[in-house]
């Protein structure tokens, strides 16, 4: 299996000092191995965030090392932190999500975009501006990828979803942020079985697609996954604090209280493996309209069948980008049906 490391421009990842997590400061480190261009590489600056969004102060508390933090089991605290991050670091105003929808971690989501930027410019300068067109499949109510992509790189985005509430919510955020509204097209997918059909228009070209597919195969599996998540958080809090927060105790009784997500965001028939297979099969129809197809892959076992299917479909290029955040490894599956020489011509025609 071919591994692709698009960060040749950054020969050495920034490293965290071994003692940084024990030193009291306004910056709380969140990961050892975020992308070198990630604005959150050195953690959250809570003083800056509270200055941008004073309401966050009501959720900030000291951790056992004396550093400011929040209770990540409290959905209101996490949503307020996201709002502050998006306002302070990306100038995105009035970000919000409806109750029960996924609240994504900003550092991990923007990492995907940085690796996509490297993919689009393996040897040359990074590509900024509206000449780059990106399709976000299943944007969700949070719209996190187009919001971050527009504000970070100035790209144009098409954001699709099968859920009208999600589309309406992202539209509302965009209306309050002119630079986002000017570079974002929202498209409702009326046929859930279709991923690209009905979204990519005839003769429309897209530089790269991106997707964070539903992971679970059923509601029961999604609920079990949420329970495991809160149980692990509870164990971690018990070890660090000597007790478990009220929010985690409540979440263990009802995981939905703390880890939101609608059906389309969390699960689909066949889970991640089937969704990826469907996407790959359907991508062949748009082989000449899309330069690069990409998708997150949470489970490493799902990569092998994807490679086999792409070989069967005669993909010109297939690779995997690994993103590491703490102890978690997430993969970006990348494929193209366009040969390397023609991909170079595509870039030249783009301007």
């Amino acid at each position: 299996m071919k591994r692709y490391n698009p960060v040749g421009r950054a020969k050495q990842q920034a490293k965290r000092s071994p003692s940084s997590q024990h030193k009291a400061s306004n910056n709380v480190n969140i990961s050892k191995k975020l992308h070198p261009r990630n604005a959150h590489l050195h953690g959250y600056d809570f003083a800056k965030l509270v200055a941008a969004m004073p309401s966050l102060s009501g959720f900030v508390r000291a951790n056992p090392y004396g550093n400011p933090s929040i209770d990540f089991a409290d959905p209101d605290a996490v949503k307020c932190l996201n709002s502050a991050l998006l306002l302070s670091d990306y100038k995105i105003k009035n970000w919000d999500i409806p109750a029960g929808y996924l609240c994504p971690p900003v550092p991990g989501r923007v990492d995907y975009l940085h690796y996509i930027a490297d993919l689009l410019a393996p040897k040359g300068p990074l590509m900024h501006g509206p000449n780059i067109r990106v399709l976000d499949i299943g944007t969700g109510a949070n719209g996190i990828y187009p919001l971050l992509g527009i504000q970070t790189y100035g790209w144009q985005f098409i954001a699709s979803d099968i859920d009208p509430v999600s589309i309406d919510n992202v539209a509302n955020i965009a209306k309050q942020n002119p630079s986002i509204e000017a570079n974002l097209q929202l498209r409702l997918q009326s046929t859930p079985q279709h991923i690209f059909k009905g979204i990519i228009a005839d003769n429309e070209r897209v530089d790269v697609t991106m997707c964070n597919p539903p992971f679970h195969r059923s509601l029961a599996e999604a609920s079990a996954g949420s329970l495991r998540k809160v149980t692990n958080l509870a164990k971690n809090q018990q070890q660090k604090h000597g007790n478990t927060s009220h929010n985690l105790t409540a979440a263990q009784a009802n995981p939905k209280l703390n880890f939101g997500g609608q059906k389309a965001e969390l699960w689909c028939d066949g889970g991640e493996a089937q969704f990826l297979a469907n996407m790959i099969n359907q991508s062949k129809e748009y082989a000449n309209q899309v330069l690069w197809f990409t998708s997150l892959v949470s489970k490493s076992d799902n990569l092998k069948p994807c490679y086999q299917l792409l070989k069967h479909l005669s993909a010109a290029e297939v690779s995997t980008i690994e993103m590491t955040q703490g102890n978690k490894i997430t993969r970006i599956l990348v494929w193209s049906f366009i040969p390397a020489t023609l991909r170079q011509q595509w870039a030249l025609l783009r301007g």
Side-chain angles (χ1 to χ4, degrees):
M1 182 180 296
K2 182 178 178 182
R3 298 286 176 184
Y4 168 70
N5 178 13
V7 200
R9 68 183 74 247
K11 294 183 179 179
Q12 184 176 4
Q13 297 270 2
K15 295 181 179 180
R16 178 174 70 171
S17 167
S19 60
S20 64
Q21 62 179 348
H22 299 286
K23 183 180 178 182
S25 80
N26 280 317
N27 289 69
V28 179
N29 200 289
I30 52 178
S31 175
K32 295 179 182 179
K33 298 180 181 179
L34 290 172
H35 190 284
R37 291 197 302 276
N38 197 308
H40 315 290
L41 189 65
H42 303 294
Y44 299 135
D45 185 341
F46 276 96
K48 177 183 176 183
L49 294 174
V50 169
M53 184 162 289
S55 58
L56 179 64
S57 63
F59 298 104
V60 176
R61 66 181 191 181
N63 66 17
Y65 306 114
N67 295 318
S69 186
I70 65 166
D71 182 356
F72 285 92
D74 180 351
D76 293 330
V78 173
K79 187 165 81 167
C80 190
L81 173 63
N82 268 21
S83 298
L85 283 168
L86 294 172
L87 177 60
S88 174
D89 296 343
Y90 301 97
K91 311 306 177 188
I92 298 171
K93 301 177 182 178
N94 301 313
W95 180 86
D96 199 4
I97 52 174
Y101 281 75
L102 281 178
C103 188
V106 172
R109 296 301 192 260
V110 78
D111 244 29
Y112 188 176
L113 288 157
H114 290 312
Y115 282 109
I116 292 299
D118 292 336
L119 174 69
L120 292 171
K123 296 180 181 179
L126 293 172
M127 303 295 295
H128 291 80
N131 283 342
I132 299 295
R133 302 196 75 215
V134 185
L135 167 60
D136 178 29
I137 300 161
T139 197
N142 56 72
I144 198 69
Y145 290 124
L147 299 182
L148 292 173
I150 291 168
Q151 295 300 90
T152 304
Y153 289 105
W155 298 337
Q156 283 193 54
F157 269 80
I158 302 164
S160 70
D161 207 285
I162 64 173
D163 176 32
V165 174
S166 293
I167 293 292
D168 289 345
N169 192 68
V170 179
N172 185 56
I173 297 170
K175 286 178 183 178
Q176 301 173 76
N177 294 273
S179 63
I180 292 172
E181 187 174 33
N183 289 288
L184 176 62
Q185 297 179 45
L186 292 162
R187 298 180 184 176
L188 180 67
Q189 176 56 270
S190 58
T191 307
Q193 294 78 15
H194 294 163
I195 295 174
F196 304 105
K197 188 175 182 179
I199 299 300
I200 299 178
D202 294 342
N203 301 319
E204 187 172 36
R205 299 205 312 171
V206 174
D207 291 282
V208 62
T209 70
M210 54 194 309
C211 181
N212 185 10
F215 180 75
H216 300 289
R217 292 174 293 183
S218 66
L219 177 58
E221 187 176 277
S223 297
S226 291
L227 181 57
R228 283 193 301 271
K229 192 171 182 180
V230 296
T231 299
N232 290 336
L233 271 175
K235 289 179 180 178
N236 189 47
Q237 277 198 0
Q238 185 69 34
Q239 290 171 355
K240 288 185 176 181
H241 298 259
N243 55 47
T244 303
S245 75
H246 169 74
N247 291 300
L248 270 180
T249 301
Q252 285 179 289
N254 184 356
K256 295 179 186 178
L257 289 175
N258 294 82
F259 296 95
Q262 301 299 298
K263 176 187 181 299
E265 295 177 308
L266 293 177
W267 66 274
C268 65
D269 291 339
E272 181 182 72
Q274 187 60 56
F275 190 96
L276 289 168
N278 293 343
M279 186 190 304
I280 290 169
N281 276 314
Q282 294 180 35
S283 71
K284 180 68 173 179
E285 185 178 347
Y286 297 86
N288 296 319
Q289 291 181 251
V290 176
L291 182 61
W292 290 107
F293 297 91
T294 78
S295 178
L296 292 181
V297 180
S298 294
K299 192 174 181 181
S300 60
D301 290 347
N302 290 335
L303 283 173
K304 185 176 180 179
C306 288
Y307 269 71
Q308 292 172 337
L309 180 55
L310 284 162
K311 182 179 180 180
H312 174 73
L313 294 173
S314 301
E317 181 81 15
V318 184
S319 55
T320 301
I321 303 168
E322 285 195 350
M323 299 192 301
T324 304
Q325 296 153 27
N327 295 323
K328 181 181 178 182
I329 296 176
T330 303
R331 302 141 200 93
I332 305 174
L333 177 64
V334 176
W335 71 98
S336 179
F337 296 100
I338 300 175
T341 53
L342 294 180
R343 291 201 300 270
Q344 293 174 3
Q345 292 180 23
W346 179 300
L348 291 173
L349 289 171
R350 184 197 298 128

